[in-house]
Amino acid sequence: MPRQIIVIDSSISVSGKYLKRNRADASFSTALFVHFSVEIICFFAIYKLFEGDRSWFIFTVLFDTLGFGPQAIIGLYCEKHPRFKPGVIGGVMLIIGAAIMLLGPSLYSNVPFSELTLVSGYVYFELVGIILLSLGNALTHIKGALVTLRVSEGRLSESAIFVGGGSFGLISGRILADIPGTDWIPFVCMIIAIIIMIMIDKRLTKKASREHVFDFDRMPCNQKITLDRSVPLIAFILFFIVCVRAYIGYALPIAWNKTFTQTIFLFLIMGTGKMLGGILSDIFGARLIGIISCLLSVPVLLAGNNIMWL
């Protein structure tokens, strides 16, 4: 039986070579802001507590594992239980997790900050916080996927805008972590994002009588993939791409990603590239844009140290 996805009042429609905004909703900006808020609170807490600390590797690996590993399982659960609200629940978990993490140092104020990770009680406290933060991150990502798939009708722009917002949130959280007195900003952003997700849930429920069915299996992009290439091959290619990206991000020595200005520039370009990738793919085709972007990145990667002037 074909998979069916409910579509309700998409606010952005792609037609020919341009994007047309309807008055129904500002889904692009809300999707960007929600993901921005999720990442800003996550990386604010992580960089505030663990940057330069001996426990950096352990906590970041734990965050990556719990934040991204369970997403397929959570997505499957959401498909079987459509009344489940991953966005709101995940948002609350993010706030509680970050609050616990930031509260930890104050509970052990008699211990020098550089030696906190040697105190078992503090470590357990931070473990609870990072687990809640990671799982909240996973839940809100699934919410973004559910909403963008429902409004996109097979386009990539909506998902790309949502994904791109995360890069801006990541670098913003990292910047705020070094600025005293900014602890309240990520929490306010996350509270606003939760309110937005509640409004989205109510909107979907309220307009259920005007819904129409989007048959994902019949979309041209999905048909081409399933007919032209085998699923294992696609899965291997995607896995390989993620491995290469992870290697570049964590292991490959890139001399120009050392200064604060260069890091900001890097993440701004990453976020912009993700959004443009989806928009241009809707206009010119995903395969063409994917091939061109990969080819253009090769000389930049090989000669990056020689052309970076910041």
Side-chain angles (χ1 to χ4, degrees), residues 80 129 140-141 150 185-186 203-204 212 230 239 241 258 296:
K80 294 182 178 297
T140 48
H141 273 79
R150 286 183 175 182
I185 296 178
R203 185 179 183 87
L204 295 177
H212 61 282
S230 65
F239 178 78
I241 291 173
K258 299 299 182 183
L296 290 176

Side-chain angles (χ1 to χ4, degrees), residues 173-203:
R174 184 171 180 177
I175 292 173
L176 290 177
D178 295 328
I179 302 177
T182 59
D183 295 26
W184 59 274
I185 296 178
F187 289 92
V188 170
C189 289
M190 197 62 238
I191 291 172
I192 296 174
I194 291 174
I195 295 173
I196 291 174
M197 289 187 284
I198 292 174
M199 294 173 62
I200 290 174
D201 287 336
K202 288 184 176 180
R203 185 179 183 87

Side-chain angles (χ1 to χ4, degrees), residues 45-46 49-50 58-59 62-63 66 90 92-104 107-108 119-137:
I46 290 173
L49 294 174
F50 305 126
I58 295 174
F59 281 101
L62 182 62
F63 174 78
L66 295 180
V92 173
M93 290 177 66
L94 284 169
I95 291 178
I96 295 175
I100 289 175
M101 292 173 65
L102 296 175
L103 185 62
L107 296 178
Y108 296 88
V119 180
S120 59
Y122 171 80
V123 172
Y124 294 142
F125 204 79
E126 296 303 321
L127 277 174
V128 172
I130 197 72
I131 289 172
L132 288 173
L133 194 78
S134 305
L135 294 178
N137 182 284

Side-chain angles (χ1 to χ4, degrees), residues 212-250:
H212 61 282
V213 176
F214 167 43
D215 190 346
F216 185 78
D217 285 336
R218 293 174 180 259
M219 287 304 298
C221 62
N222 196 46
Q223 284 291 308
K224 290 180 180 179
I225 290 175
T226 55
L227 292 177
D228 295 347
R229 299 289 184 271
S230 65
V231 173
L233 177 60
I234 296 173
F236 173 78
I237 293 173
L238 293 175
F239 178 78
F240 177 76
I241 291 173
V242 172
C243 288
V244 172
R245 190 184 74 165
Y247 176 73
I248 292 174
Y250 288 99

Side-chain angles (χ1 to χ4, degrees), residues 148-160:
T148 51
L149 281 175
R150 286 183 175 182
V151 304
S152 66
E153 297 189 338
R155 297 183 300 269
L156 299 178
S157 300
E158 283 83 349
S159 297

